[in-house]
Amino acid sequence: MSLTCPLCRGALLPAEKFYRCEQGHAFDLAKESYLSLLHGRQKGEGRGDSKAMILARDRVHRAGVFDPLVSALAALPFEKSPRNILELGCGEGFFLGHMVRAHGIPTSYGLDLSVDAVKLAAKTLKQSLILRADLLNALPFADGSLNLIQSIFAPRPLAEISRVLRPGGYALFVYPQTDHWQELRAFLPLAKIGEEKLPADLEGFTAVASVHVTGKIELTHAVLVDLVEMSPSIHRLTREETPWQSLLPASLAATLSLRVALFRKA
Ligand SMILES: C[S@@+](CC[C@H](N)C(=O)[O-])C[C@H]1O[C@@H](n2cnc3c(N)ncnc32)[C@H](O)[C@@H]1O
């Protein structure tokens, strides 16, 4: 078992409706079956994506908008199937589920801070253990215990990723390129996509694959609304009371442009 107690770092083991470490720290399984590792003052934290953002992302995924990414993930060149996987910022679990199925991964963990994300992920991914935790804290896993960690459109705590990956384990990152959905910007003042900060050479890792997933995708008005709703720009548009839905076209052919980067720990 690779899960560790966020309070004392001892092994965290399953009991009936909770997980407990040898020191007696206990964490309840929610009725929706996710495990909340938030403790003390963290418990009241409402950070992470809102319910509206999670539901909009779920609809976009179901509409097949990211199918080219799903195919690229399925084609990743692992030497052999990883025995376990952790997704950091797993949202409602769409890409975690695909990776588990495509690569036959027997043990899987999803981690997110948003309560609405972990509820939906736990409901959809019955075989995965879904954790509610802050990925900016120490990750609740033992040193060298994981074979694959992925962060897709989510933060990447590199030092912790390196600590919990075993030697030969994989780190997988997916992030947007500057021209991602660029046509949408003619209609709305969306947040800029910054130049990617991830260096080509990660210390202690070897680059295994770097794939540019790109193509023109036909987006309906409903999908365009959801793409905006699930993005961080929604906070500013709402705050400034921009009538943003009516500014979007009936349909749009827009550029999907993503980088998939796979690294292997030395
Ligand atoms: C853009 S979404 C990506 C979700 C998923 N990977 C996907 O592509 O469908 C980013 C996710 O990271 C989560 N997140 C953001 N900050 C976090 C943190 N500090 N700890 C854990 N999760 C976090 C959000 O709640 C959200 O679900």
Coordinates of all heavy atoms in Angstrom, one line a residue, residues 127-209:
Q127 N -13.4 1.7 -9.8 CA -12.2 1.0 -9.5 C -11.1 1.8 -8.9 O -10.0 1.3 -8.5 CB -11.7 0.2 -10.7 CG -12.7 -0.6 -11.5 CD -13.3 -1.7 -10.6 OE1 -12.6 -2.3 -9.8 NE2 -14.7 -1.9 -10.6
S128 N -11.2 3.1 -9.0 CA -10.1 4.0 -8.6 C -10.4 4.5 -7.1 O -11.6 4.6 -6.7 CB -10.1 5.2 -9.5 OG -9.9 4.8 -10.8
L129 N -9.3 4.8 -6.4 CA -9.5 5.5 -5.1 C -9.4 7.0 -5.4 O -8.3 7.5 -5.8 CB -8.5 5.0 -4.1 CG -8.6 5.7 -2.7 CD1 -10.0 5.4 -2.1 CD2 -7.5 5.2 -1.8
I130 N -10.4 7.7 -5.1 CA -10.4 9.2 -5.3 C -10.2 9.9 -4.0 O -10.8 9.7 -3.0 CB -11.8 9.6 -6.0 CG1 -12.0 8.8 -7.2 CG2 -11.7 11.1 -6.2 CD1 -11.0 9.0 -8.4
L131 N -9.2 10.8 -4.0 CA -8.7 11.5 -2.8 C -9.1 13.0 -2.9 O -8.8 13.6 -4.0 CB -7.2 11.3 -2.7 CG -6.7 9.9 -2.8 CD1 -5.1 10.0 -2.9 CD2 -7.1 9.1 -1.5
R132 N -9.6 13.5 -1.8 CA -9.7 15.0 -1.8 C -8.6 15.5 -1.0 O -8.4 15.2 0.2 CB -11.1 15.4 -1.1 CG -11.3 16.9 -1.2 CD -12.6 17.3 -0.8 NE -12.7 18.8 -1.0 CZ -13.3 19.6 -0.2 NH1 -13.8 19.2 0.9 NH2 -13.2 20.9 -0.4
A133 N -7.7 16.2 -1.7 CA -6.5 16.7 -1.0 C -5.9 17.9 -1.9 O -6.4 18.1 -3.0 CB -5.4 15.6 -0.9
D134 N -5.0 18.7 -1.3 CA -4.4 19.8 -2.0 C -3.1 19.3 -2.5 O -2.2 19.0 -1.8 CB -4.2 20.9 -0.9 CG -3.8 22.2 -1.6 OD1 -3.2 22.1 -2.8 OD2 -3.9 23.3 -1.0
L135 N -2.9 19.4 -3.8 CA -1.7 18.9 -4.4 C -0.5 19.8 -4.2 O 0.6 19.5 -4.5 CB -1.9 18.6 -5.9 CG -2.2 19.7 -6.9 CD1 -1.0 20.6 -7.3 CD2 -2.9 19.2 -8.1
L136 N -0.8 21.0 -3.6 CA 0.3 21.8 -3.3 C 0.9 21.5 -1.9 O 2.0 22.1 -1.5 CB -0.1 23.3 -3.3 CG -0.7 23.7 -4.7 CD1 -1.1 25.2 -4.7 CD2 0.4 23.5 -5.8
N137 N 0.3 20.6 -1.2 CA 0.9 20.1 0.0 C 1.7 18.8 -0.3 O 1.6 18.4 -1.5 CB -0.2 19.7 1.1 CG -0.9 20.9 1.6 OD1 -0.4 22.0 1.6 ND2 -2.1 20.7 2.1
A138 N 2.4 18.2 0.7 CA 3.1 17.0 0.4 C 2.1 15.9 -0.1 O 1.0 15.8 0.4 CB 3.7 16.5 1.7
L139 N 2.5 15.2 -1.2 CA 1.5 14.2 -1.7 C 1.4 13.0 -0.7 O 2.4 12.6 -0.1 CB 2.0 13.7 -3.1 CG 2.0 14.8 -4.2 CD1 2.6 14.2 -5.5 CD2 0.7 15.4 -4.4
P140 N 0.2 12.5 -0.5 CA 0.0 11.4 0.5 C 0.4 10.0 0.0 O -0.4 9.1 0.0 CB -1.5 11.5 0.7 CG -2.1 12.0 -0.6 CD -1.1 12.9 -1.2
F141 N 1.6 9.9 -0.5 CA 2.1 8.7 -1.0 C 3.6 8.5 -0.5 O 4.3 9.5 -0.3 CB 2.1 8.6 -2.5 CG 0.7 8.5 -3.1 CD1 0.0 9.7 -3.3 CD2 0.1 7.3 -3.3 CE1 -1.3 9.6 -3.8 CE2 -1.2 7.2 -3.7 CZ -1.9 8.4 -4.0
A142 N 4.0 7.2 -0.3 CA 5.3 6.9 0.1 C 6.3 7.2 -1.0 O 6.0 7.2 -2.2 CB 5.4 5.4 0.5
D143 N 7.6 7.4 -0.6 CA 8.7 7.7 -1.5 C 8.7 6.5 -2.5 O 8.7 5.3 -2.1 CB 10.0 7.7 -0.8 CG 10.1 8.9 0.2 OD1 9.1 9.7 0.3 OD2 11.2 9.0 0.8
G144 N 8.9 6.8 -3.8 CA 9.2 5.8 -4.8 C 8.1 4.7 -4.9 O 8.4 3.6 -5.3
S145 N 6.8 5.1 -4.6 CA 5.8 4.1 -4.6 C 4.9 4.1 -5.9 O 4.1 3.1 -6.1 CB 4.8 4.3 -3.4 OG 4.3 5.6 -3.4
L146 N 5.0 5.1 -6.7 CA 4.1 5.1 -7.9 C 4.8 4.9 -9.2 O 6.0 5.3 -9.4 CB 3.4 6.5 -7.9 CG 2.4 6.7 -6.7 CD1 1.8 8.1 -6.7 CD2 1.3 5.6 -6.7
N147 N 4.1 4.4 -10.2 CA 4.7 4.1 -11.5 C 4.4 5.2 -12.5 O 5.1 5.3 -13.5 CB 4.1 2.8 -12.1 CG 4.6 1.6 -11.3 OD1 4.4 1.5 -10.1 ND2 5.2 0.6 -11.9
L148 N 3.3 5.9 -12.4 CA 2.9 6.9 -13.3 C 2.1 8.0 -12.6 O 1.2 7.7 -11.9 CB 2.0 6.3 -14.5 CG 1.3 7.2 -15.4 CD1 2.3 8.1 -16.2 CD2 0.5 6.4 -16.4
I149 N 2.5 9.2 -12.8 CA 1.8 10.3 -12.3 C 1.4 11.3 -13.5 O 2.3 11.6 -14.3 CB 2.6 11.1 -11.3 CG1 3.0 10.2 -10.1 CG2 1.8 12.4 -10.8 CD1 3.7 10.9 -9.0
Q150 N 0.2 11.6 -13.6 CA -0.2 12.5 -14.7 C -0.8 13.8 -14.1 O -1.5 13.8 -13.1 CB -1.1 11.9 -15.7 CG -2.5 11.5 -15.2 CD -3.3 10.8 -16.3 OE1 -2.8 10.1 -17.1 NE2 -4.6 11.0 -16.3
S151 N -0.5 14.9 -14.8 CA -1.1 16.2 -14.5 C -1.6 16.8 -15.9 O -0.8 17.1 -16.7 CB -0.1 17.1 -13.9 OG -0.7 18.5 -13.9
I152 N -2.9 16.9 -16.0 CA -3.5 17.3 -17.3 C -4.2 18.6 -17.1 O -5.2 18.6 -16.3 CB -4.4 16.2 -17.9 CG1 -3.6 14.9 -18.1 CG2 -5.1 16.6 -19.1 CD1 -4.4 13.7 -18.7
F153 N -3.7 19.7 -17.6 CA -4.3 21.0 -17.4 C -4.3 21.4 -15.9 O -5.3 22.0 -15.4 CB -5.7 21.2 -18.0 CG -5.9 20.7 -19.4 CD1 -6.8 19.7 -19.8 CD2 -5.1 21.3 -20.4 CE1 -7.0 19.3 -21.1 CE2 -5.2 20.9 -21.7 CZ -6.2 19.9 -22.1
A154 N -3.4 20.9 -15.2 CA -3.4 21.1 -13.7 C -2.0 21.4 -13.2 O -1.0 21.2 -14.0 CB -4.0 19.8 -13.0
P155 N -1.9 21.9 -12.0 CA -0.5 22.2 -11.5 C 0.4 21.0 -11.4 O -0.1 19.8 -11.4 CB -0.8 22.7 -10.1 CG -2.3 23.2 -10.1 CD -3.0 22.2 -11.0
R156 N 1.7 21.3 -11.4 CA 2.7 20.2 -11.4 C 3.7 20.4 -10.3 O 4.7 21.1 -10.5 CB 3.4 20.1 -12.8 CG 2.5 19.9 -14.0 CD 3.3 19.9 -15.3 NE 3.8 21.2 -15.6 CZ 3.2 22.1 -16.4 NH1 2.1 21.7 -17.0 NH2 3.8 23.2 -16.6
P157 N 3.5 19.8 -9.2 CA 4.5 20.0 -8.1 C 5.7 19.0 -8.3 O 5.7 17.9 -7.9 CB 3.7 19.6 -6.8 CG 2.6 18.6 -7.3 CD 2.4 19.0 -8.8
L158 N 6.7 19.5 -9.1 CA 7.7 18.6 -9.6 C 8.5 17.9 -8.5 O 8.9 16.7 -8.7 CB 8.7 19.4 -10.5 CG 8.0 19.9 -11.8 CD1 9.0 20.7 -12.6 CD2 7.5 18.7 -12.7
A159 N 8.9 18.6 -7.4 CA 9.7 17.9 -6.4 C 8.9 16.8 -5.8 O 9.5 15.7 -5.5 CB 10.1 18.9 -5.3
E160 N 7.7 17.0 -5.5 CA 6.9 15.9 -4.9 C 6.6 14.8 -5.9 O 6.6 13.6 -5.5 CB 5.5 16.5 -4.4 CG 5.6 17.1 -3.0 CD 5.9 16.0 -2.0 OE1 5.0 15.2 -1.6 OE2 7.1 15.9 -1.5
I161 N 6.4 15.1 -7.1 CA 6.2 14.1 -8.2 C 7.4 13.2 -8.2 O 7.4 12.0 -8.2 CB 5.9 14.7 -9.5 CG1 4.5 15.4 -9.6 CG2 6.1 13.7 -10.7 CD1 4.2 16.2 -10.8
S162 N 8.6 13.8 -8.2 CA 9.9 13.1 -8.2 C 10.0 12.2 -7.0 O 10.5 11.0 -7.1 CB 11.0 14.1 -8.4 OG 12.2 13.4 -8.4
R163 N 9.6 12.7 -5.8 CA 9.8 11.9 -4.6 C 8.9 10.7 -4.6 O 9.4 9.6 -4.3 CB 9.4 12.8 -3.4 CG 9.4 12.0 -2.1 CD 8.9 12.8 -0.9 NE 7.5 13.1 -0.9 CZ 6.5 12.3 -0.5 NH1 6.9 11.0 -0.2 NH2 5.3 12.6 -0.6
V164 N 7.7 10.8 -5.1 CA 6.8 9.6 -5.0 C 6.9 8.6 -6.2 O 6.4 7.5 -6.1 CB 5.3 10.0 -4.7 CG1 5.2 10.8 -3.4 CG2 4.7 10.8 -5.8
L165 N 7.5 9.1 -7.2 CA 7.7 8.1 -8.4 C 8.8 7.2 -8.1 O 9.9 7.6 -7.5 CB 8.1 8.9 -9.6 CG 7.0 9.4 -10.5 CD1 7.6 10.1 -11.7 CD2 6.0 8.3 -11.0
R166 N 8.7 5.9 -8.5 CA 9.8 5.0 -8.3 C 10.8 5.2 -9.5 O 10.4 5.8 -10.5 CB 9.3 3.5 -8.4 CG 8.8 3.1 -9.7 CD 8.6 1.6 -9.7 NE 8.2 1.1 -11.0 CZ 9.0 1.0 -12.1 NH1 10.3 1.3 -12.1 NH2 8.5 0.5 -13.2
P167 N 12.1 4.8 -9.3 CA 13.0 4.9 -10.4 C 12.4 4.2 -11.6 O 11.9 3.1 -11.5 CB 14.3 4.2 -9.9 CG 14.1 4.3 -8.4 CD 12.7 4.2 -8.1
G168 N 12.5 4.8 -12.8 CA 11.9 4.2 -14.0 C 10.4 4.5 -14.2 O 9.8 4.2 -15.2
G169 N 9.8 5.2 -13.2 CA 8.4 5.6 -13.3 C 8.3 6.8 -14.2 O 9.2 7.5 -14.5
Y170 N 7.0 7.0 -14.6 CA 6.7 8.0 -15.6 C 6.0 9.2 -15.1 O 5.1 9.1 -14.2 CB 5.8 7.4 -16.7 CG 6.5 6.4 -17.6 CD1 6.4 5.0 -17.2 CD2 7.2 6.7 -18.7 CE1 7.0 4.0 -18.0 CE2 7.8 5.7 -19.5 CZ 7.7 4.3 -19.1 OH 8.3 3.4 -19.8
A171 N 6.3 10.4 -15.6 CA 5.6 11.7 -15.3 C 5.0 12.1 -16.7 O 5.7 12.2 -17.6 CB 6.5 12.7 -14.7
L172 N 3.7 12.3 -16.7 CA 3.0 12.7 -17.9 C 2.3 14.1 -17.7 O 1.5 14.2 -16.7 CB 1.9 11.6 -18.2 CG 0.9 11.9 -19.3 CD1 1.6 12.1 -20.7 CD2 -0.1 10.8 -19.4
F173 N 2.6 15.0 -18.6 CA 2.0 16.4 -18.5 C 1.3 16.7 -19.8 O 1.8 16.5 -20.9 CB 3.1 17.4 -18.2 CG 3.9 17.1 -17.0 CD1 5.3 16.9 -17.1 CD2 3.4 16.9 -15.7 CE1 6.1 16.6 -15.9 CE2 4.1 16.6 -14.6 CZ 5.5 16.4 -14.7
V174 N 0.1 17.3 -19.6 CA -0.6 17.8 -20.8 C -0.9 19.3 -20.5 O -1.4 19.6 -19.5 CB -1.9 17.1 -21.1 CG1 -2.6 17.7 -22.3 CG2 -1.6 15.6 -21.3
Y175 N -0.5 20.2 -21.5 CA -0.8 21.6 -21.3 C -1.1 22.3 -22.6 O -0.7 21.8 -23.7 CB 0.4 22.3 -20.6 CG 1.7 21.9 -21.1 CD1 2.3 22.7 -22.1 CD2 2.4 20.8 -20.6 CE1 3.6 22.3 -22.6 CE2 3.7 20.5 -21.1 CZ 4.2 21.3 -22.1 OH 5.5 20.9 -22.6
P176 N -1.9 23.4 -22.6 CA -2.2 24.0 -23.8 C -1.1 24.8 -24.4 O -0.2 25.3 -23.7 CB -3.3 25.0 -23.4 CG -3.1 25.2 -22.0 CD -2.5 24.0 -21.4
Q177 N -1.1 24.9 -25.8 CA -0.1 25.8 -26.5 C -0.8 27.2 -26.7 O -2.0 27.3 -26.5 CB 0.3 25.1 -27.8 CG 0.8 23.7 -27.7 CD 2.2 23.7 -27.0 OE1 3.2 23.8 -27.7 NE2 2.2 23.6 -25.7
T178 N 0.1 28.1 -27.0 CA -0.5 29.5 -27.1 C -1.6 29.7 -28.1 O -2.4 30.6 -27.9 CB 0.6 30.5 -27.3 OG1 1.4 30.1 -28.4 CG2 1.6 30.7 -26.1
D179 N -1.7 28.9 -29.1 CA -2.7 29.0 -30.1 C -4.0 28.2 -29.8 O -4.9 28.1 -30.6 CB -2.2 28.7 -31.5 CG -1.7 27.3 -31.6 OD1 -1.4 26.6 -30.6 OD2 -1.5 26.8 -32.7
H180 N -4.0 27.6 -28.6 CA -5.2 26.7 -28.2 C -6.5 27.5 -28.2 O -6.5 28.5 -27.5 CB -4.9 26.1 -26.9 CG -5.9 25.1 -26.4 ND1 -6.3 24.0 -27.2 CD2 -6.6 25.0 -25.2 CE1 -7.2 23.3 -26.5 NE2 -7.4 23.9 -25.3
W181 N -7.5 27.1 -29.0 CA -8.8 27.8 -29.1 C -8.6 29.3 -29.4 O -9.3 30.1 -28.9 CB -9.6 27.7 -27.8 CG -9.9 26.3 -27.3 CD1 -10.0 26.0 -26.0 CD2 -10.3 25.1 -28.0 NE1 -10.4 24.6 -25.8 CE2 -10.6 24.1 -27.1 CE3 -10.4 24.8 -29.4 CZ2 -11.0 22.8 -27.5 CZ3 -10.8 23.6 -29.8 CH2 -11.1 22.6 -28.8
Q182 N -7.6 29.6 -30.2 CA -7.3 31.0 -30.5 C -8.5 31.8 -31.1 O -8.7 33.0 -30.9 CB -6.0 31.2 -31.3 CG -6.1 30.6 -32.7 CD -4.8 30.7 -33.5 OE1 -3.8 31.3 -33.0 NE2 -4.7 30.1 -34.6
E183 N -9.2 31.1 -32.0 CA -10.4 31.7 -32.7 C -11.4 32.2 -31.7 O -12.1 33.2 -32.0 CB -11.0 30.7 -33.7 CG -10.1 30.2 -34.8 CD -9.1 29.1 -34.4 OE1 -9.1 28.7 -33.2 OE2 -8.4 28.7 -35.3
L184 N -11.5 31.6 -30.6 CA -12.5 32.0 -29.5 C -12.2 33.4 -29.0 O -13.1 34.1 -28.5 CB -12.5 30.9 -28.4 CG -13.6 30.8 -27.5 CD1 -14.9 30.8 -28.1 CD2 -13.4 29.5 -26.7
R185 N -10.9 33.7 -29.0 CA -10.5 35.0 -28.5 C -10.9 36.2 -29.2 O -10.9 37.4 -28.8 CB -8.9 35.1 -28.4 CG -8.4 34.1 -27.4 CD -6.9 33.8 -27.4 NE -6.7 32.6 -26.7 CZ -6.7 32.5 -25.4 NH1 -6.8 33.6 -24.7 NH2 -6.6 31.4 -24.8
A186 N -11.4 36.0 -30.5 CA -11.9 37.1 -31.3 C -13.3 37.5 -30.7 O -13.8 38.6 -31.0 CB -12.1 36.7 -32.7
F187 N -13.9 36.6 -29.9 CA -15.3 36.9 -29.4 C -15.3 37.3 -28.0 O -16.2 38.0 -27.5 CB -16.1 35.6 -29.6 CG -16.3 35.2 -31.0 CD1 -15.4 34.4 -31.6 CD2 -17.3 35.8 -31.8 CE1 -15.5 34.0 -33.0 CE2 -17.4 35.4 -33.2 CZ -16.5 34.5 -33.7
L188 N -14.3 36.8 -27.2 CA -14.3 37.1 -25.8 C -12.9 37.4 -25.3 O -11.9 36.8 -25.7 CB -14.8 35.9 -25.0 CG -16.3 35.6 -24.9 CD1 -16.6 34.4 -24.2 CD2 -17.1 36.8 -24.3
P189 N -12.8 38.3 -24.3 CA -11.4 38.6 -23.7 C -11.0 37.5 -22.7 O -11.2 37.6 -21.5 CB -11.7 39.9 -23.0 CG -13.1 39.9 -22.6 CD -13.8 39.1 -23.6
L190 N -10.6 36.3 -23.2 CA -10.2 35.2 -22.4 C -8.8 35.4 -21.8 O -8.0 36.1 -22.5 CB -10.3 33.9 -23.2 CG -11.7 33.6 -23.7 CD1 -11.6 32.3 -24.6 CD2 -12.7 33.4 -22.6
A191 N -8.5 34.7 -20.7 CA -7.1 34.8 -20.1 C -6.1 34.3 -21.1 O -6.4 33.3 -21.8 CB -7.1 34.0 -18.8
K192 N -5.0 35.0 -21.2 CA -3.9 34.5 -22.2 C -3.3 33.2 -21.7 O -3.3 32.9 -20.5 CB -2.8 35.6 -22.2 CG -2.9 36.6 -23.2 CD -1.5 37.0 -23.7 CE -1.6 38.1 -24.7 NZ -1.4 39.4 -24.1
I193 N -2.9 32.4 -22.7 CA -2.2 31.2 -22.3 C -0.7 31.5 -22.3 O -0.1 32.0 -23.3 CB -2.5 30.0 -23.3 CG1 -3.9 29.7 -23.2 CG2 -1.6 28.8 -23.0 CD1 -4.4 28.7 -24.2
G194 N 0.0 31.4 -21.1 CA 1.4 31.8 -21.0 C 2.3 30.8 -21.8 O 1.9 29.7 -22.1
E195 N 3.5 31.3 -22.1 CA 4.5 30.4 -22.7 C 4.7 29.3 -21.6 O 4.9 29.6 -20.4 CB 5.8 31.1 -23.0 CG 5.7 32.0 -24.2 CD 5.5 31.3 -25.5 OE1 5.9 30.1 -25.5 OE2 5.0 31.9 -26.4
E196 N 4.8 28.0 -22.0 CA 4.9 26.9 -21.1 C 6.2 27.0 -20.3 O 7.3 27.3 -20.9 CB 4.8 25.6 -21.8 CG 4.8 24.4 -21.0 CD 3.9 24.5 -19.8 OE1 2.7 24.9 -19.9 OE2 4.4 24.2 -18.7
K197 N 6.1 26.9 -19.0 CA 7.3 27.0 -18.1 C 8.1 25.7 -18.0 O 9.1 25.6 -17.5 CB 6.9 27.5 -16.7 CG 6.1 28.7 -16.7 CD 7.0 30.0 -16.7 CE 6.2 31.3 -16.4 NZ 4.9 31.4 -17.1
L198 N 7.5 24.6 -18.5 CA 8.1 23.3 -18.3 C 9.4 23.1 -19.2 O 9.3 23.3 -20.4 CB 7.1 22.2 -18.7 CG 7.4 20.8 -18.3 CD1 7.3 20.6 -16.8 CD2 6.5 19.8 -18.9
P199 N 10.5 23.0 -18.6 CA 11.7 22.9 -19.4 C 11.8 21.5 -20.2 O 11.2 20.6 -19.8 CB 12.9 22.9 -18.4 CG 12.3 22.5 -17.1 CD 10.8 22.8 -17.2
A200 N 12.5 21.5 -21.3 CA 12.6 20.3 -22.1 C 13.3 19.3 -21.3 O 13.1 18.1 -21.4 CB 13.3 20.6 -23.4
D201 N 14.3 19.7 -20.5 CA 15.1 18.8 -19.7 C 14.6 19.0 -18.2 O 14.9 20.0 -17.6 CB 16.6 19.1 -19.7 CG 17.1 18.8 -21.1 OD1 16.7 17.8 -21.7 OD2 18.0 19.6 -21.5
L202 N 14.0 17.9 -17.7 CA 13.7 18.0 -16.2 C 14.8 17.2 -15.5 O 15.1 16.1 -15.8 CB 12.3 17.2 -16.0 CG 11.0 17.9 -16.3 CD1 9.9 17.1 -15.8 CD2 11.0 19.3 -15.6
E203 N 15.3 17.9 -14.5 CA 16.4 17.3 -13.7 C 16.0 15.9 -13.2 O 14.9 15.8 -12.5 CB 16.9 18.2 -12.6 CG 18.3 18.0 -12.3 CD 18.8 18.9 -11.1 OE1 18.4 20.0 -11.0 OE2 19.4 18.3 -10.2
G204 N 16.8 14.9 -13.4 CA 16.5 13.6 -12.9 C 15.5 12.8 -13.7 O 15.1 11.7 -13.4
F205 N 15.1 13.4 -14.9 CA 14.2 12.7 -15.8 C 14.8 12.6 -17.2 O 15.5 13.5 -17.6 CB 12.9 13.4 -15.9 CG 12.0 13.3 -14.6 CD1 12.2 14.1 -13.5 CD2 11.0 12.3 -14.6 CE1 11.4 14.0 -12.4 CE2 10.2 12.2 -13.4 CZ 10.4 13.0 -12.3
T206 N 14.3 11.6 -18.0 CA 14.6 11.6 -19.4 C 13.4 11.8 -20.2 O 12.3 11.2 -19.8 CB 15.2 10.1 -19.8 OG1 16.1 9.8 -18.8 CG2 15.7 10.1 -21.2
A207 N 13.4 12.6 -21.2 CA 12.2 12.9 -22.0 C 12.0 11.6 -22.9 O 12.9 11.1 -23.6 CB 12.4 14.1 -22.9
V208 N 10.7 11.1 -22.8 CA 10.4 9.9 -23.6 C 9.6 10.2 -24.8 O 9.8 9.6 -25.9 CB 9.6 8.9 -22.7 CG1 9.1 7.7 -23.5 CG2 10.3 8.5 -21.5
A209 N 8.7 11.2 -24.7 CA 7.8 11.5 -25.9 C 7.4 13.0 -25.7 O 7.1 13.4 -24.5 CB 6.6 10.6 -26.0

